[in-house]
Amino acid sequence: MNLRRRHPGVRTGAELTTGERTADYVRNGMGSWPFVFVFLATMAIWAMYNGSDGFDPYPFILLNLFLSMIAGLQGAILLISAKRADSISSEVAGAHLVEHREAAGIDRGQHGTDRDCCTLGVGDA
């Protein structure tokens, strides 16, 4: 028996666009320890191989170019993922507000105004 309920405002799987799935996948990968260790190992190997007579000697101009491009892409991907997470949070918060109002019996007809959920029971006589 599955006790978890899926929120109707949260899209998953095939409901997501290819860009949203990619952004989530890359974000989850970038935020992991394996990514950090692979990144550090790659930097160490690059520095050892190119230290003096490699194809990208010491100031590592090519490496700096690659790292700048990666940082630009990571920033954009993280913003895309954050925007999606914010929309999910907004949908869930809106649904919780509606559920709370319904459970408390608050509507425009009962009080004459559309009260905020934070004023429940305050000043009601």
Side-chain angles (χ1 to χ4, degrees):
M1 181 172 164
N2 187 2
L3 298 177
R4 294 184 70 192
R5 222 174 45 153
R6 187 174 167 273
H7 190 276
V10 178
R11 297 177 301 127
T12 59
E15 299 170 336
L16 298 175
T17 66
T18 302
E20 290 171 334
R21 279 194 303 272
T22 303
D24 287 346
Y25 177 76
V26 172
R27 179 206 57 210
N28 291 340
M30 286 187 309
S32 67
W33 283 109
F35 174 81
V36 171
F37 293 132
V38 168
F39 181 79
L40 290 174
T42 303
M43 295 299 102
I45 291 168
W46 187 285
M48 286 188 304
Y49 179 75
N50 291 301
S52 59
D53 57 334
F55 61 88
D56 186 25
Y58 169 62
F60 305 129
I61 302 300
L62 186 60
L63 177 64
N64 284 325
L65 174 65
F66 288 153
L67 291 177
S68 296
M69 289 188 298
I70 289 171
L73 287 174
Q74 283 178 336
I77 290 168
L78 290 175
L79 286 174
I80 291 167
S81 251
K83 182 176 149 186
R84 199 170 93 66
D86 286 346
S87 69
I88 290 171
S89 295
S90 178
E91 288 284 336
V92 170
H96 285 198
L97 176 64
V98 169
E99 289 174 6
H100 185 69
R101 284 182 172 179
E102 288 173 357
I106 293 182
D107 60 6
R108 287 185 177 166
Q110 183 178 357
H111 293 288
T113 61
D114 186 18
R115 293 187 175 195
D116 190 3
C117 69
C118 298
T119 61
L120 291 176
V122 177
D124 291 338

